[in-house]
Amino acid sequence: METADRFRAAVEKHDLAALEALFTADIRLYSPVKFTPFEGRQMVMGLFGVLLRTFEDFRYVGEFDGTSETSVDGTSAPSAVLLFRTTVNGKEIHGIDLLHFDEAGLIKEFTVMVRPQSAVHALGEAVLAGLAADGLAPAPEAR
């Protein structure tokens, strides 16, 4: 089974141990709700713990394979794009997961893109609250 298929299966089963085995130690995850990437397996796994609790009715709806340039060094790497649909706090989200693989087939770079903007906002609030609850980010300030 290819890495993208194993990743998809692990997400759908909420299997964090299987996910962790697919990431390089220095993975970088680019999120639509944070300007700088989440870096390192520990932080990315913390984020996935939050995401898997936050997403409602998460499902992958398509997949594309190929190659694309990585953001770190601009080299071309084997890649996969997984299209998904989910809901967060009543907002329907359409999105993609762009996976870049290293020579061993592990995920070294991960980019998430979602739409529409109102869904990005709902996702950002939910993720920040989850990260803060897990001690991985400062608590959001009250407005």
Side-chain angles (χ1 to χ4, degrees):
M1 181 183 287
E2 296 290 324
T3 304
D5 295 329
R6 292 177 26 226
F7 173 82
R8 181 178 181 161
V11 169
E12 290 170 344
K13 293 175 185 173
H14 290 213
D15 186 344
L16 289 172
L19 276 175
E20 187 171 8
L22 298 174
F23 297 145
T24 62
D26 61 348
I27 184 170
R28 296 173 69 122
L29 188 146
Y30 295 89
S31 164
V33 300
K34 186 174 177 276
F35 185 74
T36 59
F38 291 90
E39 295 188 72
R41 188 182 293 133
Q42 182 179 357
M43 189 64 195
V44 170
M45 288 307 302
L47 175 62
F48 267 95
V50 171
L51 292 174
L52 294 179
R53 292 192 316 262
T54 302
F55 290 149
E56 306 158 27
D57 188 32
F58 184 92
R59 65 212 175 277
Y60 283 109
V61 297
E63 181 176 340
F64 299 93
D65 296 309
T67 59
S68 60
E69 202 174 274
T70 65
S71 63
V72 175
D73 58 15
T75 60
S76 184
S79 306
V81 176
L82 303 174
L83 290 77
F84 66 85
R85 302 285 184 266
T86 191
T87 304
V88 172
N89 294 334
K91 299 284 185 186
E92 184 175 329
I93 295 175
H94 296 195
I96 64 165
D97 291 336
L98 171 58
L99 313 174
H100 292 280
F101 309 107
D102 71 1
E103 305 77 28
L106 296 176
I107 301 168
K108 68 178 181 176
E109 190 172 292
F110 190 111
T111 302
V112 181
M113 296 182 196
V114 299
R115 66 155 306 279
Q117 184 177 3
S118 60
V120 174
H121 184 70
L123 178 61
E125 287 181 346
V127 167
L128 180 56
L131 290 172
D134 289 357
L136 297 170
E141 294 182 24
R143 293 183 194 202

